[in-house]
Amino acid sequence: MRLYHKIFKADPNLSIYLENPEPLKDYAEELLNHLTHAGDMEDLHQAKVDILRDYSDIYNFDVTDAEFPEPTGYFVDAEEKRAFVEKRILLHDIVLYLGSIYKKYHKKIYDTHGMFPEIRLKNIAIDYTEIYQKAVEDYKNAIVNGIPHAVTASFVLPSLIERGLTLALQSRMLYKCICGLPDISHLKEEGLIDAEEEKYIDIFIHNTEGFCFDAREDHVMGKLYTIFVRQGVLEASAENEMILTGVGHRNRSGRKLTRTMGSLLKSDFAKSEFLPEYMELMDNIFVKLNIRNSIMHGLGESFDYLNIGLVSIMFQLLWDIGSCEIFKN
């Protein structure tokens, strides 16, 4: 039973809790079984998508039906107060449902295999793989020993997710654009690419390992962006340039679009590539709830943003990005 009348109450310290969580816990346990008993990778992926879709249904129901205590404090108007309440309901639903499912699922994975998924995040000056391993060790200690916080993981996971999203979107844009280019030998014969551009395209086509670019990332990707636009396989836009190079330049206005988690998620390319269930999850976590800033700057004192449930959600999201499960195809 996932859609039922929920009653939220406030502690004397202003923390909010769900007075009647049992039906939701029982339902989350049922969906946990869908994950642990998936027959193959396709079934497992479908179970993940179904869980995200259910979470969306639960929140949309609760935001119009749940009882929530009258907020204490000053609000400009009723709209601002309602937005505050909706955010608090979203926080609790996402932790009580998704956080609960994923935490137990990850505990079962560790109990069965003695490890979590291994991923490698391509690095330049910063070894993101080392950072990931530190987060995993912290998380492992928390779920094995029943600790309510994985502090290191809480702080680094948003950055790892942003890096993972950047690499994933860059790779998909490169792949699609390079596949759309005319034959490289034809471009060379017609004088449509120079030697440097040919070298960069060749590296990406053959996925050459152990190479080192003789320029900054924005120069290399800028060269490719120019080729793609010139050959008509990519629309010229600040968003597309930002995804490839890190900074997009808006024509005439002179303003720049810097690559951040928010700008990536708002881009048309991301919206066209991501499954809507994953897009909604990331928008809720990193835009509406602004979890990254809340963790970094200690915002929202009446909610524990270091909650292990949020860490579980971010780990599952990172792993799904790494396995390309967030994409439509």
Side-chain angles (χ1 to χ4, degrees):
M1 181 179 178
R2 60 194 177 103
L3 305 182
Y4 68 97
H5 184 67
K6 296 184 179 67
I7 303 173
F8 290 95
K9 293 290 183 72
D11 281 334
N13 64 359
L14 301 183
S15 294
I16 304 298
Y17 67 95
L18 181 61
E19 187 180 55
N20 54 339
E22 288 75 19
L24 184 61
K25 289 182 178 179
D26 291 343
Y27 185 69
E29 198 69 31
E30 179 184 330
L31 289 212
L32 173 64
N33 290 331
H34 292 180
L35 291 175
T36 56
H37 293 89
D40 53 31
M41 294 305 295
E42 186 176 343
D43 287 345
L44 179 60
H45 171 68
Q46 189 57 54
K48 292 176 183 176
V49 174
D50 290 343
I51 286 171
L52 292 179
R53 196 175 294 133
D54 268 8
Y55 141 74
S56 179
D57 291 343
I58 289 169
Y59 172 66
N60 288 330
F61 175 82
D62 289 346
V63 82
T64 59
D65 181 82
E67 289 185 34
F68 197 89
E70 182 70 15
T72 301
Y74 172 77
F75 297 92
V76 173
D77 51 30
E79 184 177 348
E80 184 183 21
K81 181 190 292 188
R82 184 60 197 168
F84 174 85
V85 170
E86 290 180 359
K87 179 178 178 180
R88 281 295 180 269
I89 293 175
L90 178 58
L91 273 166
H92 284 82
D93 277 0
I94 203 170
V95 169
L96 288 170
Y97 180 63
L98 287 183
S100 173
I101 293 173
Y102 288 149
K103 182 178 70 173
K104 293 177 182 178
Y105 177 50
H106 299 163
K107 180 66 162 59
K108 287 180 179 289
I109 289 176
Y110 185 76
D111 289 344
T112 302
H113 303 286
M115 61 182 295
F116 290 125
E118 294 182 1
I119 62 173
R120 294 195 63 81
L121 291 171
K122 185 170 58 177
N123 56 57
I124 302 177
I126 301 173
D127 191 341
Y128 285 90
T129 304
E130 180 183 357
I131 296 172
Y132 169 74
Q133 291 167 350
K134 296 287 187 184
V136 165
E137 288 300 316
D138 185 37
Y139 183 48
K140 183 195 307 180
N141 178 59
I143 67 169
V144 168
N145 296 299
I147 301 172
H149 301 115
V151 178
T152 299
S154 293
F155 276 84
V156 304
L157 277 168
S159 294
L160 293 177
I161 290 170
E162 181 176 337
R163 182 63 178 165
L165 279 178
T166 297
L167 292 175
L169 284 173
Q170 266 189 343
S171 297
R172 288 180 77 85
M173 183 174 282
L174 283 169
Y175 175 78
K176 291 191 172 188
C177 290
I178 288 176
C179 287
L181 286 175
D183 185 78
I184 301 303
S185 59
H186 169 74
L187 292 175
K188 184 178 179 181
E189 290 173 3
E190 296 296 320
L192 299 175
I193 56 174
D194 59 31
E196 185 182 19
E197 293 169 339
E198 181 188 4
K199 181 178 70 172
Y200 294 156
I201 294 174
D202 186 67
I203 287 172
F204 284 110
I205 288 177
H206 296 98
N207 196 25
T208 306
E209 295 184 3
F211 65 87
C212 182
F213 286 122
D214 51 2
R216 301 188 313 271
E217 178 196 20
D218 60 344
H219 173 81
V220 176
M221 293 300 183
K223 280 274 189 179
L224 293 172
Y225 172 76
T226 300
I227 297 170
F228 297 154
V229 171
R230 192 170 65 222
Q231 294 300 316
V233 296
L234 184 66
E235 179 185 354
S237 74
E239 284 186 351
N240 290 337
E241 186 182 12
M242 172 269 297
I243 291 171
L244 281 181
T245 71
V247 177
H249 299 83
R250 301 186 186 276
N251 295 337
R252 298 177 183 171
S253 69
R255 293 188 299 118
K256 297 179 180 180
L257 179 63
T258 304
R259 189 167 61 205
T260 63
M261 181 86 78
S263 62
L264 287 173
L265 293 178
K266 292 175 183 177
S267 68
D268 289 339
F269 185 70
K271 293 173 183 175
S272 69
E273 295 293 309
F274 292 155
L275 286 169
E277 292 83 3
Y278 280 99
M279 176 60 84
E280 181 178 3
L281 173 63
M282 290 185 285
D283 181 68
N284 282 339
I285 291 178
F286 297 113
V287 180
K288 291 181 180 176
L289 297 180
N290 200 11
I291 280 178
R292 186 179 203 164
N293 277 3
S294 295
I295 291 171
M296 295 295 176
H297 303 298
L299 305 176
E301 297 84 350
S302 62
F303 189 88
D304 180 10
Y305 282 95
L306 302 182
N307 185 293
I308 191 69
L310 291 174
V311 174
S312 299
I313 294 167
M314 288 193 285
F315 259 117
Q316 189 61 56
L317 178 56
L318 180 62
W319 292 332
D320 290 348
I321 292 170
S323 59
C324 294
E325 292 186 64
I326 67 171
F327 294 107
K328 292 179 179 177
N329 51 55

